[in-house]
């Protein structure tokens, strides 16, 4: 056996992680050392012993082996959160294909500069009566941030300063002026050190219903027995999943352990965050992508020191350095945002499973529309399935849903974007003073072409995905490279009315105004909102009844609770069915189910109108009935038939280079390497290989890109092929995506 070397980083909080030092691993430690191991190393000229972490093991010496020092020992007492995170980084590098450096930068918070941390807390100085008066006054004047703070102070004795600024959106200036008026008091660290921070117990503790209880008990039993597993909590919208998470969290926190809650950024509204604060008070911290690196680092430091026990945030909150992690919750686990777009292209669900396993923690995935991936694992018994089938609030019912066939509307002479049914219901709701949401499903928008007469989208004859319109006037398939010139008539029915789909939110807003001039309309899409701050302003204005109709894209249907909405109109449900990728049926089902779940959250029953050119499609049918199992069966059958994940594993490799001939050569070499894999000869199936194909946009900024698709039911074989391809050391940039 050759020599083994360890790359070691010294004290992660101060050094840059991309500057590891290499040491020789002595024979006696070989068996016990791995990525993440805390070690003692002789450091510097004086060879003083210092603590470090192994980030990588290799048989390759970086310089003259004779000059490489030997590491002194394993630091058996040094295992901590950092060790686990480094070991997680190693796993991510292996699993997703990236450099160790990229993986480390993903999991370790890097300190920018040292700033003193100050903890500030806001308390009310008003009597309950005075506070109510101020609340009413603020509501009248539409001081929304102030309303939020006063209502928060009604629920809680004190509000963390950072919560007020980040989630309730009060500016420091506004807080200062309120303090000067004598309404509130901002307390600094020294005043506030009392660890007993009990919230007013006035928060009525919700009594869980039978299904919720069962779900919580299933987790608690395993947890107490010392082997919590992975759970998929499948519950329809409004079934009380959040209450279930919180009850499970309670159990873990009682035990002195810590919890990470992942929530997609778009659903991380103050409404949501406040529910956790109300229940767990000062033990909670929140991060989001608007925080600077330094601010995020501060929150992670507080977690590491044990000052907080619950971290809530998007994907990156997974790397909170808790020492005694007991539970990870991933809400809306099907969300695409849980997958990183940058190398390592990890999926938070998989990385969370890995982290939970290392920490001996439980993992709870929650969704009304679980990903196919998770549901199929649950069915196979890899995850434990927990189900909530009823709405938690007694008086809340599922909305009545109707599918409208837009081809029929055209035939009947209705050229408006609103079906007759939808117009009628909108009229009714406006008269009653109830709220309406109009939703346009705009994903994959405009790049596909469809027929207004028969509703057919132009598809690839080989791949069952929509062809994409290119400015050159060609229609292309991104999976197999098939292409045809743009026809002037529909190939199915001969109608000349074929075109790209082109109705945006702005157009819908205009048309709504024409039809209902008296209605107050708000619009929310990427253009109106000016970043995430804007989203919340619009949503909260709508929540407070400042408009009758909210028009928007998918961002309006995620995780918001509007009790006064009794009508949801989905204007073109099938747009997302034509996105050029195999998961578009799944996304359509998810988004429609979410949209339908928005109506009738309060006391009044709701209506949902789904307008579509493809009323018979199972994604639309199943969403209208809120029938997940039906959807799952059909979609899985489709994936199995066409060999798409999760029926098979799919490895996508992209090669990129400014030199076209290099990309072409690399593509061929990669393909050969995949073909040479011994799987086919050793009794296993040979991998299915497609490509190399040109990327959807072949040349970007003078960089050419080719993509190779490799499928196999055994992930290990795909990992083996990826490793082999990495080892070719091709003169191109490679990126890997394993689905
Ligand atoms: P989900 O996360 O599944 O959409 P939530 O946890 O947000 O559902 O619950 C929906 C609503 O029902 C919330 O207003 C919540 O307070 C309420 N709720 C949840 N569980 C119960 C229960 N057992 N009894 C009464 N109300 C409940
Ligand atoms: Zn047609
Ligand atoms: Zn094709």
């Amino acid at each position: 056996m050759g020599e083994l070397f360890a790359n070691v980083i010294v004290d992660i909080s101060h050094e840059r992680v991309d500057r590891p030092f290499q040491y020789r691993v002595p024979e006696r430690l070989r068996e016990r050392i791995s990525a993440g191991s805390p070690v003692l190393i002789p450091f510097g000229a004086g060879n003083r012993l210092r603590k470090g972490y192994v980030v990588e093991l290799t048989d390759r010496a970086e310089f003259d082996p004779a000059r490489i020092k030997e590491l002194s020992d394993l630091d058996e007492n040094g295992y901590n959160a950092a060790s686990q995170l480094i070991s997680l980084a190693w796993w991510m590098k292996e699993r997703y294909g990236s450099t160790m450096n990229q993986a480390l930068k993903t999991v370790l918070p890097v300190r920018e500069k040292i700033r003193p941390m100050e903890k500030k807390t806001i308390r009310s100085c008003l009597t309950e009566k005075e506070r109510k008066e101020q609340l009413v006054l603020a509501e009248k004047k539409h001081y929304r941030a102030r309303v939020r703070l006063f209502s928060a102070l009604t629920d809680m004795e004190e509000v963390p300063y950072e919560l007020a600024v980040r989630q309730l959106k009060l500016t420091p200036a506004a807080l200062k002026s309120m303090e000067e008026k004598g309404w509130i008091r901002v307390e600094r660290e020294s005043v506030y050190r009392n660890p007993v921070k009990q919230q007013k117990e006035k928060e009525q503790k919700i009594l869980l219903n039978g299904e919720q209880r069962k779900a919580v008990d299933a987790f608690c039993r395993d947890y107490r027995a010392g082997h919590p597993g992975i759970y998929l909590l499948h519950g329809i919208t409004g079934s009380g999943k959040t209450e279930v998470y919180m009850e499970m969290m309670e159990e873990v926190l009682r035990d002195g352990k810590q919890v990470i809650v992942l929530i997609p950024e778009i659903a991380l509204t103050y409404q949501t965050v406040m529910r956790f604060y109300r229940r767990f008070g000062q033990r909670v911290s929140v991060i989001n992508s608007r925080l600077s690196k330094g601010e995020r680092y501060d929150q992670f430091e507080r977690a590491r020191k044990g000052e907080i026990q619950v971290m809530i945030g998007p994907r990156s909150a997974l790397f909170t350095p808790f020492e005694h992690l007991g539970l990870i919750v991933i809400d809306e686990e099907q969300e695409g945002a849980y997958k990183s777009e940058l190398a390592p292209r990890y999926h938070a669900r998989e990385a969370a499973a890995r982290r939970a396993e290392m920490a001996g923690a439980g993992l709870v995935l929650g969704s009304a529309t679980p990903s196919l991936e998770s549901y199929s694992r649950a069915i196979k018994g890899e995850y434990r399935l927990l189900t909530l089938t009823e709405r938690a609030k007694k008086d809340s019912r599922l909305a009545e849903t109707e599918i409208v066939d837009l081809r029929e509307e055209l035939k009947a002479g209705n050229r408006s974007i609103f079906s007759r049914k939808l117009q009628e219901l909108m009229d009714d709701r406006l008269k009653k003073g109830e709220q309406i949401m109009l939703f346009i499903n705009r994903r994959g928008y405009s790049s596909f072409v469809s027929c207004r007469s028969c509703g057919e989208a132009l598809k690839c004859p080989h791949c069952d995905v929509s062809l994409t319109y290119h400015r050159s006037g060609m229609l292309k398939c991104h999976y197999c490279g098939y292409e045809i010139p743009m026809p002037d008539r529909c190939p199915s029915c001969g109608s000349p009315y074929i075109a790209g789909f082109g109705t945006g939110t702005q157009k819908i807003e205009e048309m709504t105004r024409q039809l209902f001039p008296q209605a107050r309309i708000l619009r929310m899409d990427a253009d109106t909102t000016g970043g995430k701050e804007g989203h919340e302003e619009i949503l909260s204005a709508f929540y407070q009844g400042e408009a009758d109709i909210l028009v928007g894209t998918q961002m309006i249907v995620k995780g918001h609770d509007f009790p006064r909405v009794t009508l949801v109109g989905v204007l073109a449900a099938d747009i997302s069915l034509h996105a050029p990728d195999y998961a578009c049926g799944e996304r359509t089902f998810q988004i429609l189910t979410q949209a339908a779940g928005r109506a009738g959250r309060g006391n009044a029953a709701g209506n949902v109108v789904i307008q579509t050119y493809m009323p018979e499609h199972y994604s639309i049918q199943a969403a209208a009935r809120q029938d997940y199992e039906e959807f799952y069966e059909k979609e899985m059958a489709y994936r199995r038939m066409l060999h798409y994940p999760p029926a098979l594993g799919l490895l996508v490799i992209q090669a990129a280079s400014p030199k076209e001939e290099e990309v072409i050569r690399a593509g061929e070499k990669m393909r050969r390497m995949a073909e040479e894999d011994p799987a086919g000869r050793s009794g296993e199936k040979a991998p299915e290989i497609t490509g190399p194909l040109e990327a959807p946009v072949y040349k970007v900024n003078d960089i050419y890109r080719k993509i190779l698709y490799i499928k196999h039911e055994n992930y290990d074989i795909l990992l083996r092929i990826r490793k082999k391809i990495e080892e070719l050391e091709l003169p191109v940039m490679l990126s890997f995506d394993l689905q």
Side-chain angles (χ1 to χ4, degrees):
M1 211 167 12
E3 287 197 292
L4 186 66
F5 301 97
N7 296 337
V8 176
I9 49 172
V10 185
D11 192 357
I12 34 177
S13 54
H14 295 292
E15 313 297 326
R16 282 167 37 225
V17 296
D18 48 352
R19 277 295 319 277
F21 300 89
Q22 200 165 54
Y23 288 85
R24 175 179 293 109
V25 179
E27 204 56 49
R28 68 197 155 86
L29 296 179
R30 272 195 177 216
E31 295 300 311
R32 290 186 290 146
I33 201 164
S34 64
S37 297
V39 288
L40 295 170
I41 46 168
F43 195 75
N47 281 339
R48 210 154 51 84
L49 276 195
R50 278 188 73 173
K51 199 178 145 175
Y53 296 96
V54 176
V55 294
E56 197 154 16
L57 291 167
T58 172
D59 51 15
R60 227 182 277 183
E62 252 149 43
F63 51 96
D64 177 9
R67 289 177 44 224
I68 297 180
K69 296 179 200 170
E70 189 159 277
L71 62 80
S72 306
D73 210 347
L74 275 175
D75 177 8
E76 298 287 1
N77 300 319
Y79 282 95
N80 58 17
S83 298
Q84 280 185 18
L85 288 168
I86 291 167
S87 157
L88 182 64
W90 175 264
W91 175 84
M92 283 165 65
K93 158 193 150 356
E94 293 283 301
R95 170 73 174 74
Y96 300 103
S98 74
T99 65
M100 188 59 189
N101 195 18
Q102 285 169 322
L104 282 173
K105 289 212 159 132
T106 307
V107 305
L108 296 177
V110 178
R111 168 182 283 186
E112 282 181 326
K113 59 173 189 276
I114 301 158
R115 297 182 293 124
M117 273 198 282
E118 192 182 32
K119 201 186 297 175
K120 289 190 281 188
T121 309
I122 298 168
R123 281 172 180 275
S124 170
C125 301
L126 302 173
T127 64
E128 207 152 322
K129 182 158 162 287
E130 288 169 330
R131 197 169 52 236
K132 284 213 179 97
E133 285 164 9
Q134 287 297 340
L135 184 63
V136 172
L137 205 67
E139 264 166 2
K140 240 189 230 141
K141 294 195 174 162
H142 298 298
Y143 292 156
R144 276 184 225 126
R146 205 175 275 182
V147 170
R148 278 178 223 140
L149 181 63
F150 282 126
S151 20
L153 284 169
T154 310
D155 295 329
M156 313 196 282
E157 231 152 61
E158 51 181 43
V159 171
Y161 191 87
E162 69 197 38
L163 171 81
V165 174
R166 274 196 257 130
Q167 294 290 331
L168 309 183
K169 303 283 152 51
L170 286 128
T171 60
L175 286 168
K176 187 132 190 274
S177 114
M178 290 173 81
E179 192 175 14
E180 279 161 8
K181 291 199 177 88
W183 297 347
I184 56 167
R185 192 168 70 233
V186 179
E187 292 178 352
R188 263 79 186 175
E189 174 100 358
S190 52
V191 190
Y192 148 77
R193 248 299 161 199
N194 180 0
V196 196
K197 277 284 156 282
Q198 269 313 317
Q199 294 300 325
K200 280 189 232 170
E201 276 295 320
K202 60 180 278 193
E203 190 232 334
Q204 68 306 7
K205 200 147 177 218
I206 285 179
L207 200 63
L208 297 187
N209 64 33
E211 287 183 329
Q212 288 173 311
R213 191 74 257 160
K214 237 176 106 181
V216 172
D217 288 347
F219 167 78
C220 289
R221 231 176 291 124
D222 294 351
Y223 180 76
R224 280 178 213 145
H227 48 80
I230 304 182
Y231 308 82
L232 175 60
L233 178 62
H234 175 209
I236 59 168
T237 37
S239 58
K241 293 186 288 297
T242 311
E243 294 300 326
V244 171
Y245 304 147
M246 291 199 292
E247 203 66 28
M248 293 169 169
M249 289 164 68
E250 193 88 61
E251 170 80 20
V252 170
L253 292 171
R254 226 190 332 260
D255 204 25
K257 298 234 176 169
Q258 298 136 347
V259 183
I260 294 172
V261 182
L262 302 188
I263 294 179
E265 183 106 34
I266 197 162
L268 203 56
T269 60
Y270 81 93
Q271 277 185 46
T272 313
V273 170
M274 285 309 284
R275 284 178 75 180
F276 288 94
Y277 268 102
R278 269 189 212 116
R279 179 84 171 248
F280 302 111
Q282 297 277 12
R283 291 180 285 178
V284 177
S285 177
V286 182
I287 58 167
N288 59 41
S289 63
R290 278 162 282 162
L291 296 190
S292 72
K293 274 194 191 141
E295 287 172 314
R296 197 173 80 137
Y297 181 82
D298 287 353
Q299 295 313 310
F300 276 10
E301 269 300 280
R302 292 182 62 198
R304 199 179 55 75
K305 291 188 189 147
E307 287 176 26
I308 54 160
Q309 281 79 46
V310 177
M311 180 63 90
I312 300 175
R315 196 174 66 214
S316 61
L318 178 61
F319 307 116
T320 308
F322 280 135
E323 298 285 346
H324 307 286
L325 189 61
L327 172 65
I328 305 174
V329 173
I330 304 186
D331 190 31
E332 306 279 350
E333 64 86 30
Q334 82 289 349
E335 266 299 315
Y338 284 128
K339 175 146 182 202
S340 170
E341 292 294 321
L342 300 172
R345 298 182 57 166
Y346 69 98
H347 198 296
R349 200 168 47 217
E350 294 171 343
R354 182 74 196 152
R355 181 153 192 217
E357 190 192 331
M358 286 192 292
L363 171 60
V364 176
L365 311 170
S367 178
T369 53
S371 60
L372 251 68
E373 161 87 39
S374 294
Y375 203 75
S376 63
R377 282 176 188 267
I379 284 183
K380 280 188 242 157
E382 291 172 37
Y383 298 169
R384 176 129 183 224
L385 186 62
L386 309 171
T387 315
L388 306 177
T389 57
E390 281 160 24
R391 283 213 165 167
K393 281 188 177 158
K394 296 242 157 29
D395 44 11
S396 140
R397 274 156 294 167
L398 279 179
E400 206 171 289
T401 304
E402 197 167 331
I403 300 175
V404 174
D405 186 343
L406 287 173
R407 295 168 303 188
E408 295 299 322
E409 294 291 315
L410 192 67
K411 268 191 213 151
N414 177 13
R415 292 183 164 268
S416 149
I417 57 165
F418 301 108
S419 62
R420 291 159 295 176
K421 181 74 193 180
L422 183 56
Q423 288 183 31
E424 186 189 302
L425 285 170
M426 284 173 75
D427 197 43
D428 174 68
R429 296 308 135 92
L430 289 171
K431 281 195 185 115
K432 288 186 188 150
E434 294 171 358
Q435 286 183 309
I436 301 167
M437 284 170 87
L438 294 178
F439 163 63
I440 172 149
N441 188 3
R442 218 167 61 144
R443 220 174 161 133
Y445 168 71
S446 85
S447 60
F448 75 97
V449 169
S450 72
C451 170
R452 289 266 281 156
S453 302
C454 75
E456 289 288 320
L458 275 62
K459 285 194 163 178
C460 171
H462 310 296
C463 304
D464 197 33
V465 296
S466 301
L467 296 170
T468 303
Y469 182 77
H470 284 238
R471 243 176 285 158
S472 60
M474 299 298 282
L475 293 174
K476 289 190 189 177
C477 171
H478 288 166
Y479 276 73
C480 73
Y482 173 85
E483 60 177 11
I484 50 167
M486 170 83 179
D488 47 16
R489 286 183 180 274
C490 170
S492 310
C493 75
S495 157
Y497 299 111
I498 56 172
F501 238 107
T503 312
T505 42
Q506 201 169 354
K507 191 118 161 258
I508 291 167
E509 186 189 1
E510 275 165 38
M511 290 169 159
T512 313
R513 236 177 260 293
Q514 279 167 22
L515 212 54
F516 302 102
Q518 76 289 5
R520 296 166 304 159
I521 304 172
L522 277 173
R523 170 163 68 92
M524 182 158 122
D525 56 30
D527 311 329
T528 55
T529 45
K532 286 167 190 125
E533 307 284 331
H535 294 177
E536 211 148 306
E537 283 305 306
I538 295 176
L539 291 171
S540 94
F542 188 60
Y543 183 76
Q544 280 162 36
E546 288 168 32
D548 307 302
I549 303 177
L550 176 63
V551 176
T553 52
Q554 36 270 25
M555 50 178 85
I556 68 175
V557 303
K558 306 252 160 120
H560 313 292
D561 205 348
F562 300 108
R564 273 173 290 189
V565 170
T566 57
L567 173 62
V568 171
V570 181
L571 293 172
D574 34 297
I575 290 190
S576 56
L577 280 178
H578 305 308
D581 81 82
Y582 67 82
C584 62
E586 182 175 8
R587 271 202 310 273
T588 302
F589 174 79
Q590 286 164 354
I591 202 99
L592 293 182
T593 308
Q594 277 167 1
R598 292 304 111 201
R601 302 272 287 189
N603 300 338
N607 285 80
V608 180
V609 177
I610 298 178
Q611 305 192 153
T612 173
Y613 289 103
M614 306 178 81
E616 63 294 324
H617 194 284
Y618 63 85
S619 292
I620 291 174
Q621 290 277 341
R625 283 197 287 274
Q626 303 258 317
D627 187 341
Y628 181 81
E629 279 78 14
E630 177 195 337
F631 166 75
Y632 176 80
E633 291 302 327
K634 300 232 160 97
E635 182 72 10
M636 259 326 260
Y638 163 81
R639 304 274 177 101
R640 272 193 287 264
M641 191 169 72
L642 291 173
H643 288 192
Y644 285 128
L648 283 182
L650 171 65
L651 173 63
V652 183
I653 309 174
Q654 179 180 277
S657 166
K659 295 191 192 129
E660 189 174 13
E661 66 278 17
E662 295 280 16
V663 176
I664 293 170
R665 209 171 315 134
E668 280 158 9
K669 280 193 185 148
M670 292 187 327
R671 183 178 172 110
R672 232 171 295 133
M673 191 47 98
E675 282 167 348
E676 279 168 16
D677 186 88
R681 280 166 273 133
S682 65
E684 288 233 48
K685 276 192 197 129
E688 290 173 45
I689 307 167
T690 311
L693 303 175
E694 292 180 6
V697 192
Y698 180 39
K699 184 174 147 186
V700 180
N701 290 332
D702 290 319
I703 301 218
Y704 296 86
R705 302 175 310 170
K706 286 228 171 204
I707 301 179
L708 186 67
Y709 298 91
I710 307 169
K711 291 181 192 169
H712 202 281
E713 56 196 12
N714 184 347
Y715 270 76
D716 291 336
I717 289 176
L718 294 175
L719 289 177
R720 178 166 77 197
I721 294 173
R722 195 200 67 212
K723 263 225 134 77
K724 283 267 191 286
I725 288 175
E726 276 175 311
E727 281 163 13
L728 285 174
E729 301 200 347
L730 297 164
V732 293
M733 285 170 283
L734 288 184
S735 66
F736 302 96
D737 185 12
L738 185 52
Q739 298 172 7

